[in-house]
Amino acid sequence: MNHFKDAAKTWDNDRTRQRNRAFANALAPIIAPFQQNLRLLDFGCGTGLLSEPFAADARELLGIDSTKEMLDQFDQRYENLDHARSFCVNLEEQPQALKGKEFDIVISAMAFHHLKNPLAVLDVLKSALSPSGKICILDLDQEDGSFHADPKAMGVHHFGFSVETLNSWARELALKLDHQLVHLIEKNERTYNVFLAVFSQ
Ligand SMILES: C[S@@+](CC[C@H](N)C(=O)[O-])C[C@H]1O[C@@H](n2cnc3c(N)ncnc32)[C@H](O)[C@@H]1O
């Protein structure tokens, strides 16, 4: 059962809009030098909230997600943008799906904690990166497992990621890592940190 199939209907709300706006603000200075020529990949794009501020000026936008219902809304959002496309694929099951493609910037918000093997997916994203490209992951800093109401039913495989884990991925894949905490999510009367991890070659 894919939790996001049902969640898609109500995914765009004040909470997710506000969160993605804050994420996009953190990404803006990294993306700015590429504008006009930008080939942008949004992995685990959902309905496309994160890429929205960058979409119009990009040369190409590809949204990848394994949930068709999320991508239906992505397609609706960008129906008037010829250079925006979606691709319904589970990148863990089909790592060859990006073969022959190249991107300047890969962005991903709140998707990596749903992956069984995030390091393997990071390696797949690296293989589709231009030499000066960057992979920008926004996700939960290591948490105590209380962020999701029902982690198992919601397809959660990781309770966020510590900076040590992200550093170990960078070492493993011979990538440079720039890590910072960029946002706070208030939920369950608690505060959860969100990091921005920028991987480059
Ligand atoms: C928490 S949602 C985030 C959506 C969007 N990035 C946002 O922040 O609004 C995670 C998304 O990752 C997608 N996803 C999870 N595992 C995936 C995989 N292996 N391949 C592609 N997409 C995946 C889900 O379908 C879901 O739409």
Side-chain angles (χ1 to χ4, degrees):
M1 179 58 204
N2 179 353
H3 153 74
F4 293 108
K5 198 170 172 332
D6 290 332
K9 288 182 216 111
T10 52
W11 189 261
D12 288 12
N13 54 47
D14 288 349
R15 192 172 43 83
T16 54
R17 277 198 199 93
Q18 187 231 354
R19 182 165 96 190
N20 276 285
R21 239 190 333 265
F23 294 171
N25 286 342
L27 291 172
I30 300 161
I31 292 183
F34 293 89
Q35 282 296 11
Q36 309 296 331
N37 260 325
L38 176 68
R39 295 165 297 175
L40 180 64
L41 168 63
D42 185 351
F43 169 71
C45 63
T47 64
L49 279 175
L50 182 64
S51 46
E52 192 160 39
F54 312 110
D57 287 341
R59 169 150 58 115
E60 182 188 340
L61 165 64
L62 181 66
I64 284 194
D65 204 286
S66 51
T67 307
K68 186 188 167 297
E69 289 73 9
M70 288 288 218
L71 291 180
D72 287 344
Q73 297 201 36
F74 179 100
D75 292 342
Q76 221 173 320
R77 182 183 305 280
Y78 294 123
E79 66 185 340
N80 296 321
L81 218 55
D82 287 345
H83 58 264
R85 286 175 302 124
S86 68
F87 184 12
C88 192
V89 67
N90 183 323
L91 215 51
E92 294 204 283
E93 291 170 5
Q94 291 178 252
Q96 75 291 356
L98 289 179
K99 212 167 172 210
K101 297 193 166 62
E102 190 174 271
F103 298 92
D104 305 299
I105 297 280
V106 179
I107 55 178
S108 181
M110 304 298 275
F112 263 63
H113 63 257
H114 292 285
L115 300 174
K116 291 184 188 118
N117 188 344
L119 176 60
V121 171
L122 184 61
D123 197 18
V124 172
L125 296 174
K126 178 190 168 190
S127 71
L129 202 61
S130 71
S132 62
K134 292 173 196 290
I135 302 170
C136 307
I137 300 173
L138 291 138
D139 210 323
L140 295 168
D141 193 34
Q142 191 163 50
E143 47 108 5
D144 60 2
S146 61
F147 184 83
H148 297 87
D150 186 346
K152 199 158 176 239
M154 295 165 99
V156 173
H157 292 285
H158 305 271
F159 297 152
F161 302 100
S162 67
V163 66
E164 289 79 17
T165 297
L166 295 161
N167 264 314
S168 74
W169 297 353
R171 273 196 305 278
E172 184 87 17
L173 300 179
L175 290 167
K176 289 182 218 142
L177 170 64
D178 183 21
H179 175 277
Q180 48 179 317
L181 299 177
V182 292
H183 187 60
L184 295 175
I185 299 179
E186 308 282 350
K187 189 173 166 179
N188 311 328
E189 294 176 4
R190 290 172 193 229
T191 302
Y192 301 89
N193 271 303
V194 175
F195 65 80
L196 168 59
V198 181
F199 295 91
S200 56
Q201 328 231 29

